[in-house]
């Protein structure tokens, strides 16, 4: 969680710097989109910092772990869905500005004729933009590792609770994906 929050803060700095760089030739609406994306990232930082704090208090009370994710489910779906939509738009804008190709709402690559410095700037931005979405799936993997440890130490109550928590986390990931698909369908 600390790494994710650090990555998201780095993303805000990178996007803010990008919006100010003259070489991108961004229009005011593009700058506003980047600012909205930065606001969304800050909301993700608050959300995941809160989850980190709650999970730190977990210490031995397995029932509360499921409750932590269930209590955060709607907020996670909403905030991640909004961020994913905004980040997709930002990448499409930047990809176009760098001379890349865009099909529908997807940036599909840069041509050989793209300006080198702009094309080179895309990869780190894109890498940072996907990390928050990947985090939700990592919760599931982390919980599965915990469950394997609990099985090895014959903690059946903890295994059952972790199974329930994994179902909740996977449900959150599916809800986020559905929210994103719904937004994309409406935009088309």
């Amino acid at each position: 969680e600390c790494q994710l929050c650090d990555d998201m803060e780095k993303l805000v700095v990178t996007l803010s710097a990008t919006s100010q760089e003259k070489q991108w030739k961004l229009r005011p609406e593009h700058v506003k989109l980047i600012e909205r994306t930065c606001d969304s990232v800050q909301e993700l930082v608050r959300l995941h910092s809160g989850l980190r704090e709650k999970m730190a208090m977990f210490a031995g009370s397995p029932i509360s772990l499921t409750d932590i994710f269930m209590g955060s489910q709607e907020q996670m779906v909403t905030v991640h869905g909004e961020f994913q939509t905004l980040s997709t738009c930002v990448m499409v804008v930047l990809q176009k500005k760098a001379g890349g190709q865009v099909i529908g709402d997807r940036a599909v690559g840069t041509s050989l004729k793209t300006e080198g410095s702009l094309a080179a700037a895309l990869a780190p931005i894109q890498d940072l933009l996907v990390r928050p979405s990947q985090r939700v799936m990592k919760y599931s993997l982390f919980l599965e590792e915990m469950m394997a440890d609990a099985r090895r130490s014959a903690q059946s109550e903890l295994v059952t609770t972790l199974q329930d928590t994994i179902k909740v986390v996977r449900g959150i990931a599916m809800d986020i994906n559905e929210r994103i698909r719904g937004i994309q369908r409406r935009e088309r």
Side-chain angles (χ1 to χ4, degrees):
E1 284 305 308
C2 292
Q3 182 62 47
L4 175 67
C5 291
D6 290 346
D7 288 347
M8 287 191 285
E9 288 171 9
K10 184 176 177 182
L11 175 59
V12 169
V13 169
T14 303
L15 287 175
S16 296
T18 300
S19 72
Q20 301 303 314
E21 289 177 16
K22 301 254 187 267
Q23 66 179 349
W24 285 102
K25 300 177 186 169
L26 296 172
R27 297 192 314 241
E29 62 269 22
H30 298 147
V31 173
K32 192 165 192 86
L33 172 66
I34 289 173
E35 289 170 354
R36 281 187 59 208
T37 305
C38 288
D39 291 344
S40 181
V41 171
Q42 293 296 343
E43 185 63 28
L44 282 170
V45 169
R46 285 189 288 277
L47 172 66
H48 286 279
S49 293
L51 280 172
R52 181 182 66 221
E53 289 170 12
K54 290 174 185 175
M55 287 170 30
M57 292 187 297
F58 165 64
S61 174
I63 303 295
S64 66
L65 185 60
T66 305
D67 293 340
I68 288 169
F69 285 100
M70 287 180 72
S72 302
Q73 184 170 4
E74 185 58 35
Q75 186 181 15
M76 286 180 73
V77 170
T78 301
V79 174
H80 275 275
E82 179 182 347
F83 169 76
Q84 192 61 41
T85 301
L86 290 169
S87 66
T88 298
C89 294
V90 167
M91 272 315 296
V92 167
V93 166
L94 296 179
Q95 190 80 7
K96 284 182 178 179
K97 292 292 183 178
Q101 297 177 356
V102 176
I103 298 175
D105 64 348
R106 297 276 182 247
V108 293
T110 55
S111 69
L112 295 176
K113 298 178 183 176
T114 46
E115 292 184 47
S117 62
L118 293 180
L122 283 175
I125 293 170
Q126 192 166 22
D127 180 52
L128 288 169
L129 285 170
V130 298
R131 289 187 187 176
S133 300
Q134 293 171 339
R135 173 57 55 189
V136 176
M137 288 310 299
K138 286 186 179 182
Y139 284 134
S140 176
L141 297 173
F142 171 70
L143 292 167
E144 287 172 5
E145 287 178 24
M146 285 179 64
M147 189 168 61
D149 290 343
R151 279 194 175 122
R152 282 192 289 278
S153 60
Q155 297 178 14
S156 61
E157 183 181 324
L158 181 58
V159 169
T160 302
T161 300
L162 289 169
Q163 287 171 332
D164 293 342
T165 306
I166 290 168
K167 287 177 189 174
V168 169
V169 170
R170 286 184 179 154
I172 291 169
M174 287 177 21
D175 288 349
I176 290 170
N177 287 333
E178 268 310 302
R179 173 83 49 99
I180 292 166
R181 281 189 211 106
I183 291 168
Q184 290 171 341
R185 282 190 296 269
R186 284 190 302 273
E187 288 176 352
R188 289 182 188 152

